């Protein structure tokens, strides 16, 4: 079995991790809005889990094969040099903001509620760094203004 295929299979762990993130994002609402108002610390704990599991899920998604696109929508973005560059800039900004918040919250602030979410933000930021690297690879593999093996095989 080829190593690319092994990593492709491992990348499917992203789906249960994202489902866990989704579960923790809706769990506070299942108990009612009165519960949210009276137990805000539990809600913050759940949102921290959302950030952690989303970051882990995004990390596993970066193990996919970058020579293929998942759907026509992403193909249109990555083949167009202008749209691809805009997406890379957008993802870079997102990584900077999320990691900045996480580092600020974990190391600088004294607010316990912000500290509660900052660890999850750091995990999400690390996952987004991997996602950014994968996005750059996909862009390099699929852009139309550069001749690559993927573009010539069309």
């Amino acid at each position: 079995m080829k190593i690319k295929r092994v990593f492709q299979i491992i990348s499917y762990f992203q789906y249960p991790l994202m489902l866990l993130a989704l579960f923790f994002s809706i769990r506070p609402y299942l108990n009612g809005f009165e519960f949210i108002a009276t137990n805000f610390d539990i809600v913050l704990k759940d949102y921290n889990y959302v950030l952690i599991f989303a970051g882990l899920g995004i990390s596993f998604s970066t193990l996919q094969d970058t020579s293929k696109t998942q759907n026509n929508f992403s193909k249109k973005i990555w083949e167009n040099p202008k749209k691809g560059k805009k997406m890379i800039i957008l993802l870079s900004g997102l990584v900077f903001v999320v990691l900045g918040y996480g580092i600020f919250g974990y190391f600088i602030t004294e607010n316990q509620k912000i500290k509660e979410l900052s660890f999850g933000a750091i995990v999400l930021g690390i996952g987004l760094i991997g996602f950014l690297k994968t996005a750059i690879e996909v862009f390099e593999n699929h852009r139309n203004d550069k001749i690559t093996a993927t573009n010539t095989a069309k």
Side-chain angles (χ1 to χ4, degrees):
M1 182 181 271
K2 292 184 178 182
I3 194 74
K4 269 189 170 181
R5 181 71 180 137
V6 170
F7 280 110
Q8 180 72 23
I9 291 168
I10 293 171
S11 76
Y12 288 112
F13 282 115
Q14 69 180 298
Y15 298 113
L17 291 168
M18 289 301 205
L19 284 174
L20 276 170
L22 178 64
F23 167 73
F24 282 111
S25 69
I26 63 171
R27 186 167 89 162
Y29 301 103
L30 298 176
N31 295 321
F33 288 105
E34 296 83 24
F35 177 81
I36 293 172
T38 58
N39 299 303
F40 195 65
D41 291 340
I42 295 172
V43 173
L44 286 178
K45 186 177 173 184
D46 281 350
Y47 285 157
N48 191 42
Y49 290 148
V50 169
L51 295 173
I52 290 170
F53 286 119
L56 289 172
I58 290 170
S59 294
F60 274 97
S61 75
T62 63
L63 298 174
Q64 292 178 350
D65 185 9
T66 59
S67 65
K68 300 174 185 168
T69 56
Q70 298 233 334
N71 52 46
N72 286 334
F73 178 73
S74 63
K75 189 175 184 177
K76 287 178 184 178
I77 291 172
W78 297 121
E79 285 182 348
N80 185 323
K82 288 182 182 178
K83 290 179 183 177
K85 287 176 186 175
K86 285 180 184 176
M87 186 58 92
I88 298 295
I89 291 168
L90 180 71
L91 286 172
S92 299
L94 180 63
V95 168
F96 178 74
V97 168
V98 171
L99 271 179
Y101 171 80
I103 291 170
F104 170 79
Y106 197 76
F107 293 109
I108 297 172
T109 189
E110 296 298 322
N111 186 333
Q112 283 306 115
K113 294 187 187 310
I114 292 175
K115 279 189 184 272
E116 182 84 24
L117 291 173
S118 61
F119 180 74
I122 291 171
V123 173
L124 179 62
I126 292 169
L128 287 172
I129 289 171
F131 187 70
L132 176 61
K133 181 194 175 294
T134 300
I136 292 168
E137 287 179 12
V138 170
F139 181 53
E140 290 299 318
N141 286 337
H142 294 281
R143 58 193 291 183
N144 282 337
D145 66 338
K146 184 177 177 186
I147 297 174
T148 62
T150 307
N151 288 342
T152 57
K154 290 181 183 176

